[in-house]
Amino acid sequence: MLLTFVIVGICYCLSAVAQNGPSLTVTVNDKSSVVPGFIYLAVNTGPAAGPYIFDSNGTIVFNGAGKLGSGAIHDFHICAYQKVARLCLWKGTTALGYGSGQALILDNQFKIIKSLPASDYHELKIIQAIDAGGQYSDTALQTVYTPVRRDLSDFGVPYEDDQGWVVDCHLRAIDPVTNRVIFDWSSLDHVPLNETYVLPTGGINGYSKTFAWDYFHMSSITRFGSDYLVSSRHTSTIYLVSGKDGSIVWRLGGKRSDFKLQGFSFDSQHDVRLAPNPGQGTGNVFTLSLFDNEYNTFVQPPRGLSSGKIIEVNVDTKTARLLRQYDSPSKDIGNPSGDGGSVQQIQKGNVFIGWGADAQVTEHTADGRLVYAARFGVPGSSAWSYRAFKGPYLGPKK
């Protein structure tokens, strides 16, 4: 069963305010309604690439740029490792929508405690569990993108002269102490190529290993009892994957959905999570949160506006319905997010949203009221944060 505990080791002592880094311009701040806390962002590329912690006024209280050397930074957040609050992030190189690098676990002085095996940046989740014998353990969930040769002639790519390459996306669960692989699942072994909405094109044309066709694009992994929820951006589908044999139990969304979506849809989604509602999670009726991009830069034009969504899934009736939708403050100017995005359910029933490539963060009450909005940027750069999080301060002391 899953273990729930109070994270210990939080330090609320602030570091000296950094003078250089991205700006965070706050436009809405209803202090009576927002949840107190700090904002965790990772600027992905450019001279300001690095992890940052902001206070709610938009002031940088920790600047991690350059502290881990050069490279892209993603998914900077508080994690729990061996029952202690730590900092987690991914560092590496990125190109054409995926990456090659390592996930790192750090203490609050930004010292590396643990480096995990090579992975892509789309997921870094450490989950806790107790087995039947009462033994506690951590499991790290990661995405791995591996280009492989495949006959793609049915999709217009010749299978000759070292042509015909496709990305095989892997769900990988590992023991973060020993780096032992506990479970490995391959998209190519279970999801046919024709489920995709993104055909070979441009930089993912399948003509070489460098430009391998990313037909699946795994965008998040969530533990679901003993199984896994896998989000595929390029098939616009959420898959329930058996933790026993890797078979697909059901599909939600996409071309082969086992569920009827009642009055809503989602497209090119990110960050699918089980909503932390008491008594729900692995039964026949459960709640999911997700970031609905409605836009994929490999498929033009945008199909709609991005939003955060909370949906209820009923396995018995094979239906899904929209419970709540959280819109962007920039929806009136039609500004969808073409990449990234996250939805975090926090205290008081509030929801904190990172808007990915539309570089802003917002907070909403449970009934959808906007109570916080801020846009960040780096002068002379289009840098953004793949995900954004809110939580207590866990960083270097003064």
Side-chain angles (χ1 to χ4, degrees):
M1 65 177 178
L2 294 179
L3 173 66
T4 301
F5 60 88
V6 177
I7 292 178
V8 297
I10 299 292
C11 172
Y12 292 90
C13 304
L14 299 185
S15 63
V17 175
Q19 298 301 314
N20 300 310
S23 62
L24 186 68
T25 304
V26 180
T27 56
V28 178
N29 190 1
D30 181 350
K31 295 183 178 181
S32 65
S33 300
V34 300
V35 172
F38 295 82
I39 297 168
Y40 289 69
L41 300 174
V43 174
N44 53 353
T45 58
Y52 296 86
I53 305 175
F54 292 83
D55 66 19
S56 60
N57 296 317
T59 302
I60 297 175
V61 294
F62 171 70
N63 182 338
K67 293 186 182 297
L68 297 172
S70 61
I73 302 290
H74 285 280
D75 212 7
F76 178 47
H77 63 284
I78 296 174
C79 58
Y81 177 61
Q82 297 184 329
K83 300 184 181 181
V84 179
R86 300 299 189 186
L87 295 169
C88 280
L89 56 79
W90 180 93
K91 177 181 178 294
T93 59
T94 63
L96 301 173
Y98 58 97
S100 177
Q102 279 190 302
L104 304 176
I105 304 173
L106 309 100
D107 65 17
N108 70 327
Q109 297 303 307
F110 228 64
K111 177 183 177 181
I112 297 174
I113 297 172
K114 181 68 178 178
S115 298
L116 301 183
S119 66
D120 163 70
Y121 66 83
H122 284 87
E123 190 59 273
L124 168 55
K125 195 79 171 176
I126 298 179
I127 58 176
Q128 295 74 41
I130 296 178
D131 63 21
Q135 184 68 37
Y136 168 91
S137 65
D138 290 326
T139 299
L141 303 180
Q142 297 181 291
T143 50
V144 179
Y145 282 47
T146 306
V148 297
R149 287 291 315 275
R150 186 61 58 98
D151 185 350
L152 304 178
S153 54
D154 287 346
F155 298 90
V157 180
Y159 191 58
E160 57 189 23
D161 300 327
D162 199 35
Q163 298 177 101
W165 287 85
V166 64
V167 176
D168 189 9
C169 287
H170 286 256
L171 175 173
R172 190 162 291 169
I174 67 167
D175 178 340
V177 176
T178 64
N179 287 346
R180 178 177 64 90
V181 176
I182 300 169
F183 182 79
D184 186 274
W185 180 86
S186 156
S187 64
L188 282 177
D189 286 347
H190 298 279
V191 180
L193 299 176
N194 60 12
E195 285 194 32
T196 191
Y197 290 101
V198 179
L199 296 176
T201 182
I204 55 169
N205 56 32
Y207 277 73
S208 68
K209 183 176 182 179
T210 301
F211 301 117
W213 176 31
D214 184 7
Y215 89 105
F216 191 78
H217 199 93
M218 191 179 295
S219 59
S220 68
I221 308 166
T222 293
R223 192 68 180 263
F224 188 86
S226 60
D227 301 324
Y228 301 90
L229 288 171
V230 173
S231 171
S232 165
R233 171 168 164 81
H234 288 182
T235 69
S236 293
T237 303
I238 301 165
Y239 300 85
L240 180 63
V241 172
S242 168
K244 182 179 296 185
D245 60 14
S247 62
I248 295 174
V249 181
W250 48 250
R251 293 165 167 83
L252 175 64
K255 295 179 179 179
R256 298 177 58 186
S257 183
D258 294 303
F259 296 81
K260 180 180 180 181
L261 277 59
Q262 298 178 327
F264 80 102
S265 64
F266 58 85
D267 176 69
S268 304
Q269 74 286 344
H270 283 85
D271 201 40
V272 176
R273 306 294 175 196
L274 275 170
N277 291 340
Q280 295 190 5
T282 59
N284 286 344
V285 179
F286 58 92
T287 305
L288 297 177
S289 63
L290 60 89
F291 186 83
D292 181 13
N293 292 79
E294 290 290 334
Y295 180 35
N296 190 319
T297 52
F298 291 112
V299 180
Q300 301 287 349
R303 299 175 187 174
L305 295 180
S306 304
S307 64
K309 283 185 166 70
I310 309 294
I311 63 175
E312 181 184 82
V313 181
N314 189 316
V315 177
D316 292 331
T317 62
K318 289 294 188 294
T319 57
R321 65 187 182 99
L322 180 67
L323 298 180
R324 290 180 292 282
Q325 177 170 315
Y326 302 96
D327 294 322
S328 164
S330 59
K331 68 174 184 176
D332 292 337
I333 59 175
N335 197 22
S337 176
D339 200 357
S342 56
V343 177
Q344 179 190 10
Q345 297 205 44
I346 55 178
Q347 294 91 340
K348 298 178 11 179
N350 285 14
V351 172
F352 185 77
I353 299 179
W355 293 85
D358 183 18
Q360 62 175 328
V361 295
T362 59
E363 185 174 333
H364 309 254
T365 57
D367 61 4
R369 183 166 60 91
L370 178 69
V371 294
Y372 186 86
R375 182 168 289 278
F376 71 97
V378 179
S381 171
S382 60
W384 47 278
S385 184
Y386 172 65
R387 289 177 179 147
F389 299 90
K390 190 171 190 179
Y393 182 79
L394 183 65
K397 300 178 182 179
K398 291 183 179 180

